Amino acid sequence: MSEQRPKGYEWKIVIVLSLIWGMVALDRLAVVYLFPVIIPEFKLSNAQAGAITSILAITWALSSWGMGYASDRVGRRKILLPSAIFFSLMSWFTGLTKSFAGLLGVRGLLGLGEGAVFSAAVATIAEESTPTKRGLNIGLFQGSFALIGIGFGAMIATQLAAAFGWRPVMFIVGIPGIILAVILWSFMKEPPSIANRSDQSGSDELRPSLFAAFKYKNIIVSTIVSCLFMNWLYNFTTFSALFLTQIRGLSLPTAGGVISMMGFGGFLGMVLIPALSDHFGRKPLLIISTILAGLLTLAFAFAGNNPMLLGFILFVGAGFGLGSYPIWLSTIPTESVPTRLAGSAVGIPTAVGETFGAVLMPVIGGGLADSFGLQAPMILAAVTPMIAMVISFFFQETAPKVVNAKSMPDFAKAAQN
């Protein structure tokens, strides 16, 4: 690949796509951060507010699979560029809405654009990366969601809203996506697996079905792990502020400071853990991360009300929990299938996990909170990563360095040592 690309192309594509993904996170989560002012203005119930987040998760799920598959067929660039512009425009339109129905419709359309960005971007990075840096690159990409969307996102959205009002915020956060799409258009090339198709006949082998990736065991295992870990993420994020303010008695600003540690710890984990998996294997790092994420989330649920302690536990727990995401959601799926199926391979666990975790599980967590208190969804969030740890034993190792070492003859290993 190095002969086909300008010097520095790999890092350039990783950086620009990572920034776009960070803006996806900010555009997705900004409305949630601004609910305290949006809900009174629109006179929304809590159920209607929940519907606004759920509709985005539903359309995101559909788009990540469908448009990931489309990017396998027509090319990554043809999906990424219009999708980046589209989700930015939908952020602008969010600021123009005047009714609950309008807000619901626009946020649903936003999910279509953002889900498409994820699948096509991961497939692009996976193919353009040096194999021994694939985990690191995908970790940097996905880590921008935690850093920009969670770590800085709440501060950016709330401070801008205090200065300008919530509607201008939606215009402001939509601008970088447009700029980044133009930058991407100026230099991005189609990955080799897409570009080379013009020289080949359009056989069925080159036109896989929507379900072709299901033939690979790791995709099924990734999908199960996705359902479990999406519950961890969305049950925790949905109820953590309520838990900290109503059960632990923290002020809202203090609770926000504690929750922001999730973004910073998550970013660090999403870079370090996938990078370590390049050298030590995807499977062992995933097993260690999932069990520690579950145990530390359980500790958070029973840790008392010391903000420093709670923030530290969340920083470390999110480092392991979010740090595992690039491995099971992106790296293992793309390494388990031919490059022509990479978009679908990422889209399937994303779609199923979003549907189960972001749409259904918070409803279950809310029911448990109504019946047993707000500690119940925290405990539910802690249990599912531990189950994911057990499921992770069924993964087949995909890290190129580890797989190549295992396949190397004994005499070659001795010579290498």
Side-chain angles (χ1 to χ4, degrees):
M1 189 189 315
S2 59
E3 292 79 16
Q4 303 171 11
R5 295 288 186 253
K7 184 178 180 180
Y9 179 83
E10 178 179 338
W11 280 109
K12 187 185 293 186
I13 197 75
V14 170
I15 290 170
V16 174
L17 288 178
S18 296
L19 291 173
I20 290 175
W21 186 236
M23 296 315 304
V24 164
L26 184 56
D27 287 358
R28 176 174 185 170
L29 297 174
V31 163
V32 177
Y33 301 140
L34 299 175
F35 269 162
V37 291
I38 293 175
I39 288 175
E41 178 178 327
F42 284 82
K43 296 180 172 60
L44 303 179
S45 66
N46 287 328
Q48 287 175 314
I52 291 170
T53 59
S54 291
I55 189 66
L56 191 152
I58 292 169
T59 56
W60 181 303
L62 294 172
S63 180
S64 63
W65 188 352
M67 298 306 287
Y69 170 70
S71 77
D72 290 336
R73 299 288 297 269
V74 304
R76 316 298 182 203
R77 197 172 187 270
K78 293 177 181 178
I79 299 298
L80 274 170
L81 295 176
S83 296
I85 293 172
F86 183 76
F87 84 72
S88 301
L89 292 176
M90 288 306 103
S91 179
W92 291 359
F93 277 102
T94 300
L96 298 174
T97 55
K98 301 293 185 181
S99 66
F100 167 66
L103 193 57
L104 199 67
V106 169
R107 299 307 286 181
L109 291 172
L110 180 73
L112 292 176
E114 293 185 337
V117 168
F118 179 71
S119 298
V122 169
T124 298
I125 292 173
E127 186 170 354
E128 297 288 4
S129 294
T130 304
T132 54
K133 295 180 181 178
R134 188 175 292 125
L136 171 62
N137 289 349
I138 291 178
L140 285 168
F141 168 76
Q142 287 193 237
S144 65
F145 191 101
L147 182 64
I148 298 174
I150 302 175
F152 291 114
M155 292 184 285
I156 292 171
T158 54
Q159 292 300 314
L160 287 175
F164 305 109
W166 77 268
R167 293 182 184 277
V169 171
M170 303 313 300
F171 289 95
I172 293 170
V173 300
I175 293 172
I178 300 288
I179 296 173
L180 290 166
V182 173
I183 295 172
L184 189 67
W185 171 83
S186 70
F187 78 90
M188 182 183 177
K189 304 177 185 296
E190 283 290 1
S193 67
I194 303 293
N196 293 342
R197 286 183 193 170
S198 59
D199 300 326
Q200 303 174 23
S201 60
S203 65
D204 291 339
E205 178 71 12
L206 297 176
R207 297 182 179 276
S209 74
L210 185 63
F211 301 93
F214 271 121
K215 295 187 298 183
Y216 299 87
K217 175 187 173 183
N218 275 355
I219 304 305
I220 297 173
V221 179
S222 289
T223 301
I224 297 171
V225 171
S226 180
C227 291
L228 293 165
F229 246 99
M230 292 291 187
N231 166 72
W232 170 79
L233 177 63
Y234 289 108
N235 251 312
F236 187 87
T237 54
T238 299
F239 298 105
S240 56
L242 292 172
F243 172 75
L244 290 172
T245 54
Q246 296 185 19
I247 303 301
R248 296 300 178 224
L250 303 183
S251 67
L252 185 58
T254 302
V258 171
I259 294 170
S260 71
M261 299 305 291
M262 183 178 189
F264 297 121
F267 172 74
L268 185 63
M270 290 174 110
V271 175
L272 291 179
I273 291 175
L276 289 171
S277 79
D278 284 334
H279 301 281
F280 301 106
R282 316 297 186 207
K283 189 172 176 178
L285 267 295
L286 186 55
I287 290 169
I288 293 169
S289 297
T290 49
I291 188 63
L292 289 176
L295 291 173
L296 287 164
T297 303
L298 192 63
F300 181 90
F302 292 95
N305 63 354
N306 184 315
M308 294 285 290
L309 177 60
L310 289 166
F312 175 76
I313 293 173
L314 188 53
F315 180 89
V316 179
F320 285 109
L322 290 175
S324 72
Y325 265 63
I327 298 177
W328 56 259
L329 187 60
S330 304
T331 313
I332 289 179
T334 55
E335 289 177 334
S336 301
V337 302
T339 52
R340 61 187 174 82
L341 296 178
S344 300
V346 173
I348 290 170
T350 303
V352 179
E354 282 275 346
T355 302
F356 185 79
V359 179
L360 297 180
M361 290 309 295
V363 176
I364 296 173
L368 291 173
D370 290 337
S371 300
F372 303 104
L374 282 163
Q375 198 171 43
M378 298 290 101
I379 296 172
L380 177 61
V383 169
T384 48
M386 300 183 196
I387 301 173
M389 183 271 292
V390 177
I391 302 299
S392 296
F393 279 95
F394 293 94
F395 275 116
Q396 294 176 331
E397 183 58 65
T398 62
K401 185 174 181 179
V402 176
V403 172
N404 292 337
K406 287 182 179 179
S407 62
M408 188 182 299
D410 291 339
F411 70 86
K413 292 180 183 179
Q416 190 177 64
N417 293 331

